[in-house]
Amino acid sequence: MRTPIFAANWKMNHGPSQARAFMAAFLSAYSPRKDRSVVLFPPAISLTTVRDALGGRHDIVLGVQNIYKEDKGAFTGETSAPMAVDAGAKVALVGHSERRHVFGETDEQCAKKCAAAFRAGLTPMLCVGETLAQRESGDTESVVLRQLAAVVTTLAADQVARLVIAYEPVWAIGTGRNATPDDAAQVHAAIRRWFSSQSGAANDVPVLYGGSVNTKNAASLLAAPGVDGLLVGGASLDAEAWTAICRT
Ligand code: PGA
């Protein structure tokens, strides 16, 4: 049994003032637990606020929502992996569906971002998932496995062993329409089978589910076979709801 991971993706919400207020409420409600990991992905501009609020709460890990593939230079508006590390991040989301579908990020860019994350000592949390049209045309597994292969085959075995995957069906993100535990279990099993078919690839890479997770469905999704944790957007913005989900 893997230790479940509860990850909060705040997206473009909670600037420094709101992040400070959220952390005060969350830290007073949620006590450290050894049987789970909690990861927070604030927007980059709030990373140091959340880091400072955490103080000695080493049970909670900080992550960055996006990084650029280069380490520094003339890339106005971008955040590099070493800068995210400097601000306290240990994990980087890569290939979130909004990055892929709103900002046009490709599998190739995701692979470069994972490489940048590893260079800086960040753990990449690679997001994969199919659109509604791809699901309806029966392409869910081929899309998800293509997105996985595009990145994983560029990595060294020791890097693959440190990777975290989040399966997030695009049609379930921010729509209130979550995958059923069975839908999630099927894709998680396909991901697991794919990892086992890769010679030398680690077989214990955690695979999180994300997409309209809330206080009501968190327990059943987490109980689905092969689901090692939850990546939560909207429901992670409210300290009370997020505390309840972290106690699932
Ligand atoms: P949601 O977002 O929980 O609001 O659907 C999940 C995510 O995008 O990571």
Side-chain angles (χ1 to χ4, degrees), residues 9 11 96 98 168 172-175 210-213 231-235:
N9 173 14
K11 311 192 180 190
H96 185 275
E98 285 142 25
E168 296 204 305
I173 295 180
T175 58
S212 294
V213 175
L231 177 56
V232 185

Side-chain angles (χ1 to χ4, degrees), residues 108-149:
E108 193 188 2
Q109 285 169 316
C110 291
K112 290 192 172 140
K113 288 182 177 204
C114 282
F118 280 122
R119 278 199 304 280
L122 285 172
T123 297
M125 184 182 285
L126 175 69
C127 304
V128 296
E130 81 289 1
T131 63
L132 186 58
Q134 289 164 333
R135 170 161 285 258
E136 284 174 346
S137 56
D139 295 328
T140 298
E141 283 190 18
S142 63
V143 169
V144 165
L145 300 184
R146 185 207 75 221
Q147 291 171 337
L148 261 189

Side-chain angles (χ1 to χ4, degrees), residues 63-160:
V64 62
Q65 294 175 14
N66 178 43
I67 50 168
Y68 193 56
K69 65 184 164 84
E70 303 294 339
D71 295 341
K72 64 175 184 167
F75 304 103
T76 302
E78 294 295 316
T79 302
S80 74
M83 293 192 310
V85 169
D86 188 22
K90 296 207 160 50
V91 187
L93 279 183
V94 175
H96 185 275
S97 78
E98 285 142 25
R99 299 301 316 172
R100 293 180 191 263
H101 296 284
V102 182
F103 300 99
E105 268 179 30
T106 62
D107 285 333
E108 193 188 2
Q109 285 169 316
C110 291
K112 290 192 172 140
K113 288 182 177 204
C114 282
F118 280 122
R119 278 199 304 280
L122 285 172
T123 297
M125 184 182 285
L126 175 69
C127 304
V128 296
E130 81 289 1
T131 63
L132 186 58
Q134 289 164 333
R135 170 161 285 258
E136 284 174 346
S137 56
D139 295 328
T140 298
E141 283 190 18
S142 63
V143 169
V144 165
L145 300 184
R146 185 207 75 221
Q147 291 171 337
L148 261 189
V151 171
V152 174
T153 57
T154 66
L155 301 175
D158 65 310
Q159 294 175 326
V160 179

Side-chain angles (χ1 to χ4, degrees), residues 9-26:
N9 173 14
W10 291 354
K11 311 192 180 190
M12 199 172 73
N13 298 289
H14 290 352
S17 314
Q18 285 171 298
R20 203 172 296 117
F22 176 99
M23 291 308 290
F26 175 55

